[in-house]
Amino acid sequence: TVTPPSLLPADALVEAQNCEFFNPGSRRKRLGTVHYSGIPETDGGGTVSTFRAMSDFWRHGNSLTPTQVFVATGGSKIMVPDLNSWQDIKTGWGSNAAHSQITIAKEYAVISNDLGQTPQKFDGTTVTPVCLDEACVPPFSISTYHLRRLFVAGVATTVSTVYYSAASDITDWVSEDTGSLILDDGDGDRVVGLSKPFRD
C-alpha cells in the first residue's frame, strides 16, 4: 500500500473541530456548518435530546441557484435549524437510544432508524414517509444511494436481504425495475452495512 500525501500522522492532529474523515484516513474541515445554540434541545417532557444523525444537502428545484438544507434527528424528533435554535419538523419519531441514519438520495434526505419506524424523506420543506404503498419495503435501518437507486437493508424480518428501488424513484419498490439481493440467508448472519463502491 502507498500512504496518500494528504494523510497526517496520528500525532500530527493536535486540535481539530468540525472535521470529516475519509476512507484512506485523510481528514478536512467540514464545510457549511456553524454553531447554532448552546442551549440543550429537549423533548416535550423536558428530556434532553441526544442528536443521533445530521446531514446537509443542496436542492436546486427549478433554478440554477441551489439552497443548502440542514437536517438532524435527536430524541424523538426530526429538526432543522431556525436561526440560533432548532425547529421540530416531525415529532414522535426516533429516540435517544435509536441508531439513526441520514442518506442523501435524489434531492431528499432519507432518515431511518432501528426502531422499526417508517423511514421518512425530507425535501427541504416537508417530511413524508419514503413510500405509502402497502407493498413498500418494510422499515429499514441502513441505506445508501447508488446508480440512481436507494439500496436498503436492516429489515428485521429479512436480515440477510438488501432491497433496491426503481431507478430515479426512491419511492417505487414494486415495479419490474426493483428487486432484492439475498446474502446467505439462514446462516445466522445479517447485513450490517452498505457502502458505495470504493476505488472502482
Side-chain angles (χ1 to χ4, degrees):
T1 60
V2 177
T3 302
S6 60
L7 177 59
L8 294 172
D11 59 354
L13 196 62
V14 178
E15 181 179 347
Q17 294 181 348
N18 206 18
C19 289
E20 285 185 294
F21 294 85
F22 298 91
N23 286 328
S26 60
R27 50 231 182 215
R28 70 181 183 200
K29 185 78 171 174
R30 179 179 171 86
L31 303 177
T33 57
V34 296
H35 176 79
Y36 286 107
S37 173
I39 302 171
E41 184 67 25
T42 60
D43 285 342
T47 302
V48 174
S49 299
T50 301
F51 280 76
R52 307 303 295 185
M54 296 184 189
S55 186
D56 63 334
F57 62 107
W58 297 86
R59 284 188 60 88
H60 283 82
N62 295 321
S63 75
L64 296 176
T65 304
T67 300
Q68 186 180 27
V69 181
F70 194 47
V71 63
T73 177
S76 59
K77 302 183 293 185
I78 299 173
M79 302 166 281
V80 294
D82 181 17
L83 297 178
N84 291 322
S85 62
W86 292 91
Q87 174 187 356
D88 302 345
I89 54 176
K90 186 171 183 65
T91 58
W93 192 93
S95 77
N96 275 343
H99 293 279
S100 301
Q101 178 178 329
I102 300 175
T103 299
I104 306 307
K106 195 169 171 55
E107 292 197 339
Y108 291 102
V110 176
I111 310 164
S112 60
N113 63 37
D114 61 353
L115 299 178
Q117 293 180 305
T118 301
Q120 305 292 310
K121 66 182 189 301
F122 177 54
D123 63 3
T125 304
T126 307
V127 176
T128 55
V130 170
C131 54
L132 299 172
D133 195 314
E134 290 183 0
C136 181
V137 64
F140 54 85
S141 59
I142 305 166
S143 61
T144 191
Y145 189 63
H146 179 56
L147 297 175
R148 298 167 47 229
R149 301 175 190 269
L150 186 63
F151 288 78
V152 304
V155 176
T157 55
T158 52
V159 297
S160 299
T161 303
V162 175
Y163 299 90
Y164 55 90
S165 70
S168 291
D169 189 353
I170 65 170
T171 65
D172 181 359
W173 300 89
V174 297
S175 69
E176 292 182 1
D177 195 26
T178 66
S180 62
L181 310 168
I182 300 175
L183 308 175
D184 293 333
D185 57 331
D187 66 352
D189 291 336
R190 65 184 179 92
V191 178
V192 297
L194 296 173
S195 175
K196 293 183 179 181
F198 177 55
R199 294 187 177 178
D200 298 328

